[in-house]
Amino acid sequence: MAILSRRIGCLLFVIFLSSSIPSLSFSPADDYLVNCGSNVDSTVDNRRFVSEASEVKFFLSEGSVSLQGENLAPNVPQIYRTARVFARKAKYEFNVREKGTHMVRLHFNRLTSSKIDLSDAEFHVTVNGHVVLRNFNGNDDDSSSKVREFLIWVDAGEIVVRFVPSNDSKLAFVNAIEVISAPKDLIADVATSVSRDGTGKLSGLARQAMAVVYRISVGGRKVTPFNDTLWRTWLPDDDFFKTTVDGSSHKAYFTGRIKYRPGGASREVGPDNVYNTARVGSGMSWDFPVSTGYKYLIRMHFCDIASKSLGMLYFNVYINGNLAYQDFDISDSTGYVLASPYYMDFVLDLTADSNNPFGSSIIVSLGPSNKTSVNEHGVDAMLNGVEIIKLNNSMGSLDGFVSTDMILSSCPNRRNLSIFIALMAFVCIFMSFYIVAQRKKVRDDFGWTKLPMDVRQDNLKSVNQFAARKP
């Protein structure tokens, strides 16, 4: 009986403890998931994408059609089996309840269909006045599905996503749309600017429009949306990683508990599966090709999962050869707690750097500090994750030096063009009838008259000679 009582007591304690711990899953105030072109809901990574036939209406357009893909592999997710195709300008509107940064994800998979040829797709996309995609074909350089993610600040009201065919012979399409309010701590308003002249503070970041270019899990495997509280995808760093001739590195893995704490990185900033892997070593760098003409937010994720004791890990951080942070002490930054995550934000300006010696690349490097003390208990440097995020340019654009007004005013409207063609056809028909009527009137005015019977012989002879010259 005593044993049973103890077991019941333990069970009640576990239930109480579980109820007192906040849920690990993030619950956004605004959470729209739309399965475009479909009349049924779809579940992907335990998330339900609602059909356009649902009670909540987002889509506002004329002249669009839904398209079902053909000859698709059995493992293709349902949201990539259908698409909404536009022949002219169209938009989706989402009511927003919460002020702040919102994640807007657009899913593209250029379907094969005997009904519509999406190889003719080329279009622009704008979100709340920001050009986010220009002359996009939905496919880029491979046939896999694409997810484009943008971070858009919203004061109130709504988020409007517009799709505009690039010209009258082109089409636009989208397979799925996500609009999700971001956690308050996802985008800090202040970052460290890095240049040849040194470092400084840059504020006002939170209200910038942003496009996620790279999201990398350093030393680890691919992290899927199922394993991320914000449903993000993190790619392995193998394609970007380099070491110097005299450098060395190895991958580190951690099976213990990641210790999130106030003031550090939250689970929404970076998931466990990013912080429990790392690359450790010396002479390490990562090369990320980018487009010049923009500023870039570079977020670096750190979590000391390799040191055996505190106060042993110091190193320098460089961005494109410029010193971004000297003598970084990860123990001090994490409150002297091992396996506790931390991140740093830097901004690199490539807007006027046309003679960039690195070409169109952002190179993140880690080097030894003067305080580095490498022994059997220490390491040179370590990195767990990197994010490269593009900031909008002076035109408010994330894709080219062009504004939304320029996009909307320069693109033809097929409906107006049809009306114009019909009007011109009517004018042509009217002019044809008018010309025929005028010719008939001329013939009536100059009709034949009877010759007088008393024509003189010499005049009759002249008339016969003129007639004889006619062919």
Side-chain angles (χ1 to χ4, degrees):
M1 187 67 179
I3 297 175
L4 180 60
S5 299
R6 284 196 298 270
R7 289 181 177 177
I8 293 175
C10 291
L11 179 61
L12 292 175
F13 175 78
V14 171
I15 293 174
F16 170 79
L17 186 63
S18 300
S19 63
S20 64
I21 297 176
S23 173
L24 296 180
S25 62
F26 172 63
S27 299
D30 299 309
D31 189 11
Y32 296 102
L33 309 175
V34 183
N35 187 13
C36 302
S38 176
N39 57 5
V40 296
D41 296 352
S42 301
T43 300
V44 179
D45 293 322
N46 286 340
R47 308 168 68 205
R48 187 169 68 91
F49 286 74
V50 300
S51 71
E52 292 177 336
S54 65
E55 294 180 0
V56 182
K57 301 299 181 183
F58 314 104
F59 176 60
L60 299 172
S61 177
E62 297 179 3
S64 71
V65 296
S66 60
L67 182 65
Q68 180 77 37
E70 300 173 1
N71 302 319
L72 293 169
N75 61 344
V76 174
Q78 185 62 40
I79 61 172
Y80 296 123
R81 293 179 173 273
T82 61
R84 173 64 59 179
V85 182
F86 316 101
R88 53 178 177 262
K89 302 175 190 176
K91 64 181 179 180
Y92 287 80
E93 294 182 349
F94 303 90
N95 292 325
V96 171
R97 293 180 292 175
E98 185 174 77
K99 175 181 177 180
T101 300
H102 283 66
M103 299 175 287
V104 178
R105 297 189 184 113
L106 307 177
H107 297 253
F108 300 100
N109 183 30
R110 199 163 70 182
L111 299 171
T112 300
S113 173
S114 57
K115 298 178 180 178
I116 298 177
D117 184 8
L118 287 184
S119 63
D120 286 334
E122 185 180 275
F123 53 96
H124 319 300
V125 183
T126 70
V127 180
N128 278 26
H130 299 284
V131 178
V132 298
L133 292 172
R134 186 169 64 96
N135 295 329
F136 184 64
N137 63 15
N139 201 42
D140 282 353
D141 54 359
D142 59 54
S143 59
S144 62
S145 59
K146 295 287 184 182
V147 181
R148 294 302 183 97
E149 180 175 339
F150 309 96
L151 303 172
I152 307 294
W153 176 271
V154 180
D155 282 313
E158 62 184 8
I159 285 181
V160 180
V161 183
R162 297 179 185 272
F163 296 86
V164 184
S166 60
N167 60 57
D168 192 59
S169 63
K170 300 296 183 180
L171 300 171
F173 75 93
V174 64
N175 300 81
I177 300 176
E178 301 179 43
V179 175
I180 307 168
S181 52
K184 300 299 183 183
D185 64 342
L186 183 64
I187 300 297
D189 196 54
V190 179
T192 300
S193 62
V194 180
S195 68
R196 297 186 183 92
D197 300 325
T199 60
K201 292 297 180 183
L202 182 67
S203 59
L205 284 180
R207 292 179 176 267
Q208 295 276 308
M210 304 181 183
V212 177
V213 184
Y214 299 102
R215 185 175 281 129
I216 303 300
S217 175
V218 175
R221 298 179 179 179
K222 179 179 179 179
V223 180
T224 64
F226 182 79
N227 294 310
D228 185 289
T229 53
L230 295 185
W231 311 283
R232 297 164 293 195
T233 298
W234 302 72
L235 298 177
D237 70 326
D238 302 276
D239 292 337
F240 311 97
F241 177 68
K242 298 179 179 180
T243 56
T244 59
V245 176
D246 56 347
S248 62
S249 70
H250 67 272
K251 295 181 179 181
Y253 303 94
F254 183 65
T255 58
R257 182 175 64 89
I258 300 298
K259 302 167 186 175
Y260 295 93
R261 62 177 191 83
S266 67
R267 189 172 270 104
E268 281 69 49
V269 169
D272 292 39
N273 286 342
V274 169
Y275 290 125
N276 61 22
T277 64
R279 281 193 189 267
V280 179
S282 61
M284 299 185 298
S285 65
W286 292 261
D287 189 341
F288 302 100
V290 296
S291 302
T292 56
Y294 302 90
K295 294 179 180 180
Y296 287 87
L297 172 65
I298 302 158
R299 174 167 290 183
M300 303 178 67
H301 297 265
F302 303 96
C303 186
D304 191 353
I305 59 173
S307 295
K308 301 299 182 182
S309 59
L310 294 166
M312 302 297 296
L313 183 57
Y314 296 87
F315 54 89
N316 296 334
V317 178
Y318 302 89
I319 297 177
N320 278 19
N322 305 307
L323 181 62
Y325 201 107
Q326 186 173 14
D327 301 330
F328 176 52
D329 181 359
I330 191 170
S331 294
D332 180 68
S333 299
T334 58
Y336 291 91
V337 178
L338 291 176
S340 180
Y342 185 80
Y343 72 92
M344 293 193 294
D345 285 344
F346 303 98
V347 173
L348 182 67
D349 189 349
L350 297 180
T351 56
D353 201 4
S354 57
N355 296 319
N356 181 7
F358 295 95
S360 299
S361 287
I362 293 177
I363 300 178
V364 176
S365 305
L366 303 180
S369 163
N370 292 331
K371 297 182 179 181
T372 299
S373 176
V374 179
N375 53 40
E376 67 273 13
H377 300 294
V379 296
D380 277 346
M382 177 170 45
L383 185 64
N384 303 76
V386 184
E387 294 177 83
I388 307 294
I389 302 174
K390 183 193 297 184
L391 307 180
N392 67 260
N393 60 22
S394 58
M395 299 289 286
S397 173
L398 290 164
D399 195 354
F401 201 73
V402 60
S403 68
T404 295
D405 290 340
M406 295 168 63
I407 289 289
L408 297 178
S409 62
S410 64
C411 294
N413 187 310
R414 293 175 184 239
R415 183 177 183 181
N416 293 340
L417 183 63
S418 300
I419 295 174
F420 175 76
I421 293 174
L423 180 62
M424 290 301 297
F426 173 78
V427 171
C428 291
I429 294 173
F430 174 81
M431 291 300 297
S432 299
F433 279 109
Y434 178 79
I435 292 172
V436 170
Q438 289 298 313
R439 287 180 176 176
K440 184 176 184 301
K441 181 179 179 182
V442 170
R443 286 198 301 268
D444 292 342
D445 291 342
F446 295 93
W448 294 102
T449 56
K450 186 177 180 180
L451 290 174
M453 298 302 296
D454 56 346
V455 179
R456 294 189 309 172
Q457 187 66 28
D458 54 349
N459 288 341
L460 182 59
K461 183 177 179 181
S462 298
V463 171
N464 291 337
Q465 288 175 348
F466 179 77
R469 289 198 298 269
K470 289 183 178 181

